[in-house]
Amino acid sequence: MDFDQIFVLGVVLVAFAIPSAVSAYSDRRWPTRALAMVIFGAGAIAYAAQENPGAYSLETLDDVIVSVIGGLVN
């Protein structure tokens, strides 16, 4: 698995954790799945950023996501 794919997977996990946390709080449950997704997503982002320093920033986030999706589709 490429570092870009790991980074995008982490971003997707963190993004999906937000609605999961909101749902858990609205049902008055402890957001265990949301916390797990945030931990794994943040770990994936940190790993990819550590192994490929300087490659990921807010300016390059959309380029990385599009290149990963393009690589998966093509």
Side-chain angles (χ1 to χ4, degrees):
M1 195 174 229
D2 189 22
F3 293 123
D4 289 344
Q5 292 174 342
I6 294 171
F7 182 79
V8 171
L9 178 66
V11 169
V12 168
L13 281 175
V14 170
F16 282 152
I18 295 168
S20 177
V22 170
S23 174
Y25 282 126
S26 68
D27 290 341
R28 295 185 180 165
R29 294 181 286 119
W30 183 252
T32 54
R33 290 186 185 122
L35 287 175
M37 286 194 300
V38 166
I39 290 170
F40 288 130
I45 292 169
Y47 173 70
Q50 179 183 4
E51 293 297 321
N52 200 0
Y56 306 114
S57 66
L58 288 177
E59 291 82 23
T60 63
L61 181 64
D62 55 348
D63 294 333
V64 172
I65 291 173
V66 168
S67 69
V68 168
I69 293 173
L72 291 174
V73 170
N74 190 359

